[in-house]
Amino acid sequence: MEKITVELTKNPKQKPVGDLPFGKIFTDHMFVMEYEAGKGWFNPRIVPYGPFSMDPAGVVLHYGQEIFEGLKAYRSPNGEIRLFRPEQNYMRMNKSCERLSIPLLDVDFCVEATKQLVELDKDWVPSTPDSSLYIRPFIFANDVGLGVHAAKNYIFCIILAPSGPYYPEGLDPVKIMIEDEDVRAVRGGMGYAKTGGNYAASLRAGERALEKGYSQVLWLDGVERKYIEEVGAMNVFFKINGVIVTPVLQGSILDGITRKSCIQLLRHWGYTVEERLLSVDELMGAAADGTLEEAFGSGTAAVISPIGVLAYGDQVCQINNGDIGEVSQKLYDGLTAIQWGKAEDPFGWSVKVCD
Ligand code: PLP
Ligand code: COI
C-alpha cells in the first residue's frame, strides 16, 4: 500500500466542552482513499474534514451500495489513547464488503490508517466519564449512472466523532418493544452486513416504538417471526434461570464485537452462555413466570445497556424490577475497565495508539 499523505487543516475547529452528544460533532481531519477497478485502492490520505461533492446520478444514492463500521478510541487514566479490537472491525468490514460486492481492504493497513488519524486528532479524544472518540469507517460506491451493477469506483473514508452515551438513559434500563409486523433481515439477505439498507428497513418500526414510549425495537426472525434476533443497534442477552442465552448467529444478525467479547468474558468468569435459538414465546414465558432474571443489549455505541421493560403485543413485562442486573453491571464494569485501560487485559483486546 502507498504511504498515507497528510494535509493539515488551516482552520482548526473549537473543541466541545461539557456533555457530548453521540455522533454530532466531528474532528478536524478525516482519512480518505479511492478505488478504481483495475487499479485497486489508491491515494490514501488524511485531509481536513469536509464534504464530498456528489453527482445526482451517483449510484449509492439510488441503489445503496455502501457499508460502514463503528469502533471507539478511549482515553485511559494515564492519558494513553487506546482502541478496542480494531482488527475485528476491519475483518467484519470485509465480510460486509463481500456481501455487497465491494472490493476488500487490507485489515492491517486499515488499522494503521485508523491509528494515524486518531493520533493526529488525539486532542479530540474526550476525558470526561463515559465519553470516547467514536470512529466511523465507511465505503460507498462512487460510479455515476442508473444501471444496476456493482460499481467500479469506491471511496473509503474514516471520520471521528467525540461522543457521549448513545442512549440518553446511559446505564439506566431501557424499554424495548418486540416488533411483530416489520422485519429487518432474513437469512440469505444482508442482516450480518453493516450496511445502510438494514438500518433504513428498521426506521418505521423504530418510530412506532418511540411513539409508544419505547427506546428501540427487538427484531424477530424474518421467516417465522418467532425467534429473537437483535435490537436496532445492539445484540441481546438474557439470563434465564441462571443461564445466559443469546441468539445464535445465522446470517441475519450482526456478529457484534461487543457480543463476542461479552461471551468470552462471561465464560472466563464461569457463567454458562448458550448461543441458540430463543423463541419469543420462551422469552415472554420466562418474563411472566419470573425466570427471566436479566436482559441487556451489547454494542460499541450502546456498550452494555440493561433492558428494564419488554413489550410484545399486549404483554408488557418488567425485568428485575426495572433495575440493572448483577451480570449486566459486572459486564459493564469489566468491559469498560479493559476498554479504558483501567484493568488488566487478559485477552490482549486493548491496542495502544499513542500517549
Ligand atoms: N447489531 C446491530 C444492528 C448494530 O448496529 C450493532 C452496532 O454496531 C451491534 C449489533 C453491535 O455490534 P458491535 O458490538 O460490534 O458494535
Ligand atoms: C455501533 O455501535 O458502532 C453502531 O454502529 C450502532 C449505530 C450507531 C448504528
Side-chain angles (χ1 to χ4, degrees):
M1 213 41 236
E2 297 163 63
K3 197 172 165 329
I4 300 171
T5 61
V6 179
E7 180 196 336
L8 296 179
T9 181
K10 294 190 179 65
N11 301 301
K13 293 184 264 194
Q14 201 148 29
K15 297 187 181 59
V17 284
D19 287 348
L20 290 166
F22 177 84
K24 287 200 158 73
I25 299 165
F26 298 95
T27 67
D28 282 326
H29 299 93
M30 61 184 190
F31 173 86
V32 187
M33 166 166 90
E34 279 130 288
Y35 178 93
E36 199 182 303
K39 189 168 169 182
W41 290 103
F42 65 96
N43 197 10
R45 55 199 188 273
I46 291 174
V47 291
Y49 183 95
F52 294 114
S53 81
M54 200 163 270
D55 193 291
V59 289
V60 70
L61 299 178
H62 303 267
Y63 307 126
Q65 197 193 5
E66 71 86 37
I67 56 103
F68 68 95
E69 266 305 324
L71 64 159
K72 284 174 172 173
Y74 306 86
R75 187 181 291 281
S76 63
N78 64 4
E80 283 175 4
I81 314 269
R82 312 193 69 95
L83 303 175
F84 185 71
R85 311 187 78 178
E87 74 296 340
Q88 291 286 329
N89 287 92
Y90 288 110
M91 282 157 67
R92 184 172 67 190
M93 189 170 83
N94 272 341
K95 287 192 189 146
S96 301
C97 284
E98 199 274 328
R99 180 63 186 83
L100 277 104
S101 296
I102 293 172
L104 306 192
L105 284 117
D106 183 281
V107 169
D108 292 339
F109 179 79
C110 291
V111 172
E112 183 52 34
T114 307
K115 285 182 173 173
Q116 283 191 32
L117 179 64
V118 169
E119 182 163 10
L120 182 66
D121 279 348
K122 67 179 183 182
D123 291 344
W124 288 83
V125 182
S127 45
T128 42
D130 301 325
S131 299
S132 55
L133 186 73
Y134 186 75
I135 304 170
R136 172 53 61 87
F138 59 103
I139 304 175
F140 59 93
N142 198 30
D143 281 11
V144 173
L146 299 183
V148 178
H149 46 72
K152 293 187 167 19
N153 297 276
Y154 296 86
I155 291 181
F156 170 58
C157 180
I158 309 174
I159 53 176
L160 309 174
S163 294
Y166 184 67
Y167 291 116
E169 291 93 332
L171 246 194
D172 290 338
V174 291
K175 292 172 72 181
I176 299 279
M177 196 180 96
I178 301 177
E179 171 65 26
D180 52 11
E181 217 171 301
D182 288 355
V183 297
R184 172 186 174 272
V186 291
R187 266 173 265 157
M190 310 193 293
Y192 69 89
K194 223 162 154 52
T195 181
N198 288 331
Y199 297 82
S202 76
L203 298 177
R204 183 171 73 172
E207 299 232 296
R208 284 196 299 240
L210 267 186
E211 272 167 27
K212 292 185 184 155
Y214 294 89
S215 310
Q216 284 217 22
V217 162
L218 174 56
W219 298 102
L220 295 179
D221 77 278
V223 178
E224 297 181 68
R225 301 190 192 197
K226 180 174 170 190
Y227 296 104
I228 301 292
E229 296 234 299
E230 63 178 337
V231 173
M234 53 191 196
N235 297 108
V236 278
F237 289 80
F238 303 94
K239 183 159 169 258
I240 304 174
N241 247 338
V243 171
I244 312 219
V245 181
T246 191
V248 63
L249 302 176
Q250 287 189 317
S252 55
I253 65 172
L254 201 72
D255 180 2
I257 293 152
T258 322
R259 175 188 180 278
K260 66 172 70 163
S261 307
C262 287
I263 294 173
Q264 214 172 322
L265 266 176
L266 288 166
R267 288 188 175 145
H268 180 69
W269 289 333
Y271 289 96
T272 304
V273 184
E274 292 178 356
E275 295 178 72
R276 64 166 170 91
L277 289 175
L278 172 65
S279 73
V280 64
D281 291 343
E282 179 186 346
L283 179 65
M284 294 315 282
D289 70 16
T291 48
L292 175 60
E293 294 154 359
E294 288 187 42
F296 58 90
S298 71
T300 299
V303 197
I304 299 296
S305 179
I307 299 172
V309 175
L310 262 185
Y312 180 51
D314 296 337
Q315 200 182 345
V316 179
C317 291
Q318 206 185 41
I319 303 161
N320 196 34
N321 297 319
D323 292 331
I324 179 164
E326 198 185 304
V327 174
S328 317
Q329 184 73 57
K330 189 171 158 102
L331 259 182
Y332 179 86
D333 293 342
L335 189 68
T336 54
I338 294 176
Q339 289 171 332
W340 261 272
K342 292 179 184 165
E344 203 203 328
D345 171 16
F347 311 104
W349 287 340
S350 176
V351 175
K352 181 174 165 180
V353 176
C354 58
D355 287 310

